Amino acid sequence: MKYGAFMAELRKMPPKHVYLLAGEERYYIEKAKQYLLEKLFPKGEELRNGLEQVSGDLNADALIGLIESVPFFSKKHVVLVQDSPLFRTKDADSSKKHNNAKKDERLLETLTHMPEYAYVIFLCHTAADKRRKVYKTIQEIGSILEADALRPWNVSDWLNERLAEMQRELDSEAYAYFMGAIGMMHEISLSYLDREFEKLALYTPKKRIGKEELVAVFAGLPEVSSFAMIDAINEKNAEKALSILRRQMEDGIYPPVLLALLVRHVRQLWQAKLFIAQGVKGKQLGAAMKLSPFIATKLSRVSADFSTGRLKEVLLSLIEADYLLKTGQSRTELLENIVLSLCR
């Protein structure tokens, strides 16, 4: 189950004896692990004696022995298993598979009939193979967190949960600005964003946070200034767009990186026009473009100001600029000319 549903179950239900926390998003895995341990050891003092952390390379017999070990100084014995090969894609080597089959069966039997005092938490920092028998067993007797990596098009769930924890909300302008900045990212570091929201909570006592407060705290995020430049281009505000472009270059951002950003934006505008011509709109447009519906809708409005021929012309200019910049035949004035061209 996804993070929200998994945490809701943890808060409402007594702890189960077997858990699997698997996926690429370490932020979700760490948060779930921390909450689990706090629930299993509510007073904290038994944690040192009751928790045993082991490598996933531990063989099945050794893991069974740990699970069945009776705790002496704690009422519970929790075994935390890091990145076990049990959840990786099955090995094609049939002889190896045959040798491990009996051990795996004994482990599954132990997991199914856990001692009252014993708990196992498997941590897997990649997606688990759902075809594995151990996965299906844990699905039946325990709980599984699917910690999928967050992308710009599905960040709103995390944002709403984080704001609810802070007992704050973003006004419409702040929300639009945040989603736009996040839309510039290929990958999102939730740990970083979490720390920035902690700063935001300290920066302003307001329950309803505006764009001004958000920008003040997130100004150091490169994607924020990049989004601000793209936003100025969309508004045809050449002066503002050039000012931000020059500031980014003064801050040491490599010109080809800025060029790649412009290429990506032009391609998205072109892509939006193509989908709209096929009748794809609203939430469907966001899904098709792998963007949040909010950003996709905004792109569709901006794309209406450009003809397909114009976008093709700008893209060809960007390709030429990429070659000239990388071969040292042009200076950054070329980027300024392209920004001016997009603002016309």
Side-chain angles (χ1 to χ4, degrees), residues 37-52 71-78:
L37 293 177
E38 287 174 357
K39 188 154 188 173
L40 287 166
F41 302 102
K43 295 181 180 179
E45 63 266 18
E46 292 183 347
L47 179 61
R48 183 185 301 175
N49 298 316
L51 177 64
E52 190 154 9
F72 290 103
F73 303 104
S74 174
K75 294 179 182 178
K76 295 170 184 169
H77 183 213
V78 178

Side-chain angles (χ1 to χ4, degrees), residues 24-213:
E24 297 175 9
E25 189 48 74
R26 288 175 178 261
Y27 172 86
Y28 282 152
I29 290 175
E30 288 303 310
K31 293 276 280 189
K33 181 188 81 172
Q34 182 181 353
Y35 190 88
L36 255 175
L37 293 177
E38 287 174 357
K39 188 154 188 173
L40 287 166
F41 302 102
K43 295 181 180 179
E45 63 266 18
E46 292 183 347
L47 179 61
R48 183 185 301 175
N49 298 316
L51 177 64
E52 190 154 9
Q53 302 186 55
V54 297
S55 165
D57 293 331
L58 196 72
N59 66 52
D61 286 340
L63 181 55
I64 292 169
L66 281 176
I67 291 170
E68 294 178 342
S69 297
V70 179
F72 290 103
F73 303 104
S74 174
K75 294 179 182 178
K76 295 170 184 169
H77 183 213
V78 178
V79 182
L80 193 67
V81 186
Q82 296 271 3
D83 293 316
S84 171
L86 287 168
F87 304 98
R88 296 175 196 159
T89 302
K90 289 184 178 180
D91 198 305
D93 187 344
S94 59
S95 61
K96 183 177 179 181
K97 178 180 175 182
H98 176 75
N99 291 336
N100 290 334
K102 290 184 178 180
K103 291 183 179 180
D104 289 348
E105 285 298 327
R106 288 199 299 273
L107 177 59
L108 293 180
E109 180 67 19
T110 303
L111 294 176
T112 304
H113 301 93
M114 291 281 285
E116 189 64 30
Y117 55 81
Y119 298 83
V120 178
I121 304 172
F122 291 100
L123 301 186
C124 186
H125 293 105
T126 57
D129 187 347
K130 297 181 180 180
R131 298 168 298 178
R132 298 296 297 263
K133 195 170 181 179
V134 64
Y135 185 97
K136 294 175 181 177
T137 300
I138 296 175
Q139 206 169 29
E140 291 176 6
I141 63 171
S143 281
I144 298 175
L145 167 64
E146 296 177 6
D148 298 332
L150 217 62
R151 297 291 184 258
W153 57 89
N154 61 8
V155 74
S156 57
D157 289 342
W158 174 86
L159 175 62
N160 293 333
E161 288 172 7
R162 190 67 182 92
L163 289 170
E165 288 176 6
M166 295 165 56
Q167 297 183 330
R168 307 290 180 90
E169 58 185 28
L170 300 180
D171 68 19
S172 57
E173 283 192 354
Y175 179 83
Y177 202 83
F178 177 79
M179 294 303 291
I182 292 299
M184 306 303 294
M185 300 179 179
H186 292 291
E187 294 185 3
I188 299 171
S189 169
L190 282 185
S191 298
Y192 178 81
L193 287 181
D194 191 61
R195 291 193 298 272
E196 293 303 299
F197 269 91
E198 285 179 9
K199 293 179 189 175
L200 186 61
L202 295 171
Y203 178 80
T204 175
K206 294 180 181 177
K207 180 178 175 62
R208 189 172 177 81
I209 298 167
K211 178 181 173 181
E212 185 178 344
E213 292 85 14

